[in-house]
Amino acid sequence: VIRLAVFGNPVARSLSPAIHRAFAQQCGLNVDYRAIEATSETFTAQVTSLARQGGRGCNITAPFKHDAWQLSQQSSESAKRARAANTLVFEATGTWFADSTDGMGLVNDLEASACTPLAGSRICLLGAGGAAASVVAALLDRRPEKLVIANRSLDRAEALACSHSDLGPVTALAPVDLVNEPPFDLLINATSLGHRGQAPDLSADWLNPDGLCYDMNYGAAALP
């Protein structure tokens, strides 16, 4: 049995167990994949317990992506830049390897499902937490005209932009200053406000008439 799990809070609505069950059936694998709710006090112990009990790895969702990266001994370039991970692999040597696949998933969905070309586009990313950090490198890899990270805590947005500045044209702004920017082709909500029943305070002036809004949340967190 391949023992896997996803950790988060809240985690009950996660689609990961259903997705992995379908994947396991299609590939003829015997997979035990569980959703485990953690807290800031229990997260490290719960992940360690899974590894010690023979688990092969786990996925991480909000709010533990930064913690997961900190726990790892090795990590991919995308996880290092994001300082966050949504995947941990428990190596046979005892080493934990951290990776971030969120960016690749987002870009693939935008280009394949939403038919949205990213090259040469103007993109605004709302939020500067783990979800936002995990997709900046992948967005810049598609060579947009400009990527603006907008966050209420401007210092966090500036730090995130600075850590990716060598990859492309990225800058940071407070949301109130977006009114001074030309309209965007793509607006991405990477905030966690939906988990508290809230939504970002958006302005129609921020978006081109044929622009796209994309919410990285799903389920109940996407309803607001």
Side-chain angles (χ1 to χ4, degrees):
V1 178
I2 302 173
R3 297 194 61 193
L4 306 168
V6 57
F7 293 89
N9 190 329
V11 79
R13 294 179 180 270
S14 172
L15 298 178
S16 293
I19 291 170
H20 282 77
R21 278 196 298 271
F23 167 79
Q25 291 172 357
Q26 292 169 11
C27 296
L29 299 174
N30 186 5
V31 172
D32 179 359
Y33 189 107
R34 304 183 182 185
I36 302 175
E37 185 145 325
T39 67
S40 57
E41 292 78 20
T42 65
F43 173 69
T44 300
Q46 287 173 296
V47 176
T48 301
S49 176
L50 176 65
R52 288 177 176 171
Q53 292 175 19
R56 296 282 293 276
C58 60
N59 291 127
I60 314 295
T61 187
F64 303 116
K65 293 184 179 185
H66 178 67
D67 302 85
W69 174 75
Q70 286 186 308
L71 289 174
S72 66
Q73 291 80 46
Q74 296 180 352
S75 59
S76 67
E77 182 63 27
S78 59
K80 288 177 184 176
R81 284 191 180 272
R83 297 175 59 86
N86 72 340
T87 304
L88 287 176
V89 178
F90 307 137
E91 307 283 6
T93 58
T95 299
W96 292 9
F97 179 81
D99 197 5
S100 177
T101 65
D102 287 331
M104 183 185 301
L106 173 66
V107 165
N108 286 346
D109 196 41
L110 283 167
E111 294 183 333
S113 300
C115 300
T116 302
L118 301 180
S121 65
R122 290 179 48 78
I123 304 172
C124 178
L125 181 65
L126 295 175
S134 65
V135 302
V136 172
L139 290 170
L140 290 173
D141 183 62
R142 290 304 197 267
R143 301 186 181 281
E145 176 187 315
K146 187 176 185 180
L147 173 62
V148 174
I149 303 171
N151 193 57
R152 288 180 297 180
S153 299
L154 183 57
D155 57 339
R156 294 190 65 179
E158 290 174 336
L160 185 55
C162 182
S163 66
H164 291 79
S165 60
D166 60 317
L167 299 182
V170 56
T171 188
L173 288 175
V176 294
D177 293 325
L178 289 175
V179 67
N180 300 318
E181 285 284 312
F184 295 94
D185 304 301
L186 174 63
L187 188 65
I188 301 172
N189 176 29
T191 74
S192 60
L193 292 171
H195 291 284
R196 301 192 295 274
Q198 302 172 341
D201 187 13
L202 307 179
S203 170
D205 295 335
W206 296 353
L207 198 66
N208 278 325
D210 59 348
L212 176 71
C213 286
Y214 188 103
D215 195 343
M216 288 181 63
N217 297 287
Y218 65 85
L223 292 179

